[in-house]
Each structure stands twice: as C-alpha cells, then as structure tokens.
Amino acid sequence: MDMERIKQVGTAAAYNGGRILKEHFGRLRSVRKKGAIDLVTEADLRSEAAIIDTLMRSFPDHAILAEESGRHGSSGQRWIIDPLDGTTNFAHNLPLFCVSIAFAVDDAIRAGFVLAPLMEEFFMAVKGEGALLNGSPISVSATPTLADSLLVTGFPYDHATIFPPLMERFGRGLKATQGVRRLGAAALDLCYVACGRFDGFWEQHLKPWDTAAGFLVASEAGGRTTVFSGAPYSITADEIVSTNGAIHDELLTLLEL
C-alpha cells in the first residue's frame, strides 16, 4: 500500500472540504434538523461531496463511510468521513469546527486527517509515524495527576436519555481537576489531547466518523485511548476515553458509576 499517496490524497480531501466550510461560514441560507438538536447544513453536504469526489478520483475501488451519505462500497480499504464536526458551532458562527477523515484497512485506522480551517490547524497521523500539527511533531502533555489536569468532554445529541450519569461524570470531573471544557467537536477534542492542550477527554454515544481520525492522532502523539471499562478502543465502540496516559487510570476510576 502506498501510504505516501494516502497522505497526499487525504490531505487534499481535507483541504477541499475545509475550503467549502470557509466559504459557507457566516453565510448559511438554511439549517435543517436531523433531530431535536442534531443539525445539518448545506456546508456539511457540499463538503462531504467534495471530499468523496477527491478520494474517489484517486481510489475508485475504496469504500466510504460518511456521516451524511452513509456507506458506499464494500472494500476492506475504507475512508471514514465527517465533513463538518461541530455543525452546531458552525451554525452559530463559532469557529470551533473541523473536517475529519480517516483511512482504515479492515477497521484498523492507518491514517487520520483533521483540519480546523478557520484556525488554520491541520493535524495528521499515519500509523507508526507519529502525529503532526501543521507539519511539526506533537506529543501529549506530561501532566502527572488528575488533580493537575484540564479535561474536555462532550454531550451527545441524545443527552436527555442519559442525563443523570452524564451530569454525575461531569460533576466528578469538575471537582477532581483544574477544570472541564466542552468544545462541541470530538475530533478537535482528541487532537487537543494529542498536542497537550488537554490532558484527557471522554464522551459517550459517538459514531466512527467522530473519533476515527482523532483517535489515531492522539495515539501517535503518545496518548492512551480506551472505552470506559479500560478495554481497547475500536471504531465500533460508542464511547471513548483518551488521555496523556499518566492520568488514564485515575480518569477511568472517576468515570465509574
């Protein structure tokens, strides 16, 4: 497999999607609801179309799993796409959003690309090659304890169905750490763990396109990623805990209910 070609095309696809997001930011004509608070815009749809077109031109035999258009093809080589992670932020003109693209072989993530176009930050990782931010190597923080850490979490669209445990974990995090933030874009949360801005992240009820690329970026930056039980993370899981490693066991204990 030509991973250099994967990197080139994945990067081009992320920037093509990001260009469309920049064009639409602050200029949305309509916002549609997929659920009570789950939004989709013309920017999501156009970005996804541009990303898929870029990938298929170079890899017509590869499969696609995309947030808006679903599954295309059945190859073991698959691209996992979130064309706009942070749609609610985007719809409210908050510039915390990104394009997230992962390349997987038989569900093993081999490359990840996360572009925050308005902040001009591009995170990339290839399995075994480390993680980069705008071309420079990044690594997780050295924060040694949960008490010294800054965490980030997310609230799923169906948060009303798990509200008590959601708030219990959030409250525990506030009491045990320097603080807990909620940015609204899981791919960015994972990349911010990767570059040391946060020491740990957890969230429930996620989809593969939310976490696949960011998971590899965090892992290649030296992070540890599991599910709440401590079992290894996989893209089929709907929950995730990602940390700098040093605070991981402490955070898992805090999340136990």
Side-chain angles (χ1 to χ4, degrees):
M1 184 183 305
D2 187 350
M3 290 307 297
E4 286 302 316
R5 184 62 176 155
I6 294 291
K7 286 193 284 187
Q8 293 169 3
V9 176
T11 298
Y15 275 94
N16 285 343
R19 173 180 50 79
I20 289 172
L21 299 185
K22 290 174 70 173
E23 290 173 357
H24 282 275
F25 186 72
R27 303 179 180 87
L28 287 179
R29 293 171 295 180
S30 65
V31 178
R32 177 168 58 85
K33 288 186 176 182
K34 295 190 287 185
I37 56 173
D38 189 0
L39 308 179
V40 64
T41 72
E42 66 264 30
D44 296 74
L45 301 174
R46 286 195 59 211
S47 174
E48 183 168 295
I51 291 166
I52 291 174
D53 180 69
T54 304
L55 298 173
M56 291 296 95
R57 285 177 183 270
S58 293
F59 303 111
D61 296 331
H62 287 189
I64 296 287
L65 174 61
E67 179 177 13
E68 305 304 337
S69 60
R71 297 177 182 271
H72 310 256
S74 58
S75 170
Q77 298 181 87
R78 181 169 59 159
W79 296 87
I80 304 169
I81 302 163
D82 191 339
L84 173 48
D85 186 27
T87 300
T88 301
N89 289 349
F90 186 91
H92 289 271
N93 296 331
L94 185 64
L96 288 167
F97 61 86
C98 63
V99 173
S100 177
I101 303 171
F103 173 69
V105 179
D106 297 329
D107 287 342
I109 308 301
R110 299 288 299 275
F113 312 86
V114 178
L115 173 67
L118 291 190
M119 291 179 283
E120 298 184 344
E121 291 191 327
F122 179 56
F123 296 87
M124 182 176 72
V126 173
K127 182 70 174 176
E129 295 185 12
L132 305 174
L133 167 54
N134 292 343
S136 297
I138 55 175
S139 64
V140 295
S141 73
T143 303
T145 66
L146 197 61
D148 295 322
S149 67
L150 179 63
L151 304 181
V152 64
T153 189
F155 303 149
Y157 291 123
D158 63 345
H159 60 257
T161 66
I162 56 168
F163 197 76
L166 194 73
M167 289 298 100
E168 174 67 20
R169 290 184 171 109
F170 185 72
R172 288 182 182 184
L174 284 177
K175 292 176 183 178
T177 68
Q178 296 289 304
V180 181
R181 303 292 182 258
R182 198 278 186 178
L183 303 186
L188 285 182
D189 294 335
L190 286 160
C191 288
Y192 287 2
V193 170
C195 66
R197 294 172 185 170
F198 293 121
D199 305 300
F201 162 64
W202 83 91
E203 190 169 350
Q204 297 168 261
H205 291 198
L206 294 168
K207 301 295 185 182
W209 48 78
D210 297 313
T211 54
F215 154 70
L216 188 66
V217 175
S219 298
E220 287 294 315
R224 179 183 171 191
T225 303
T226 68
V227 296
F228 287 13
S229 69
Y233 164 82
S234 74
I235 61 170
T236 59
D238 72 346
E239 60 185 32
I240 190 169
V241 183
S242 186
T243 73
N244 65 357
I247 68 162
H248 201 89
D249 290 336
E250 276 192 283
L251 183 53
L252 291 180
T253 299
L254 181 146
L255 296 176
E256 289 178 358
L257 295 180

